[in-house]
Amino acid sequence: MVELILVTHGNLAAEMLATAAQILGKPAEGVKTLSVTTSSSVEQGAKELSKLLAAAENGAVVLTDIFGGSATNIALTATKDCAQCHVITGLNLSMLLTALNSRKKLTAKELAEKIESDGKRGVINATELLIKGL
């Protein structure tokens, strides 16, 4: 199974995981989180993440909250030499649910592609779509 690790600022990773588990009606087992704080350095965070990635025999997908932020920089640093590790930014609930539901049946690369696609598809201007009928 592909390792899934959420790396975000503050407690967002843990809260997103708890919310996803609530929606799915079961705990999200085996998913790891790493919280980035104002005192976190990229080097320190990358070391912590590298330890979490050590068990990734079948590859890993690391989901981060925002491109260019500390969490993504940590993830990119920790995964730079891992061919089967993929970093996807812009974490949203749709992406996380896809990851949780698909990580047992896809390779790390396939999972990363599906997460990205489903995450983009989940961003909808509801006003335009439903209220204005466009």
Side-chain angles (χ1 to χ4, degrees), residues 83-110:
Q84 290 187 327
C85 294
H86 303 271
V87 177
I88 307 293
T89 67
L91 175 61
N92 63 42
L93 196 52
S94 178
M95 294 166 69
L96 182 53
L97 292 170
T98 292
L100 293 170
N101 286 322
S102 304
R103 70 189 192 124
K104 291 181 181 178
K105 56 190 172 197
L106 300 175
T107 67
K109 182 176 185 204
E110 292 167 339

Side-chain angles (χ1 to χ4, degrees), residues 33-83:
T33 63
L34 179 64
S35 295
V36 176
T37 65
T38 54
S39 63
S40 302
S41 71
V42 171
E43 296 77 21
Q44 175 190 7
K47 278 185 182 179
E48 289 179 47
L49 181 54
S50 292
K51 289 177 188 174
L52 297 177
L53 288 166
E57 295 176 12
N58 296 312
V61 174
V62 180
L63 298 174
T64 69
D65 49 10
I66 187 166
F67 182 73
S70 301
T72 302
N73 293 337
I74 287 168
L76 290 172
T77 300
T79 61
K80 69 180 180 202
D81 295 324
C82 179

Side-chain angles (χ1 to χ4, degrees), residues 6-24 26 28 31 33 63-65 90-97 100:
L6 311 180
V7 182
T8 66
H9 294 87
N11 295 320
L12 181 60
E15 293 299 329
M16 290 279 284
L17 194 56
T19 302
Q22 181 181 10
I23 290 169
L24 294 173
K26 61 182 180 180
V31 180
T33 63
L63 298 174
T64 69
D65 49 10
L91 175 61
N92 63 42
L93 196 52
S94 178
M95 294 166 69
L96 182 53
L97 292 170
L100 293 170

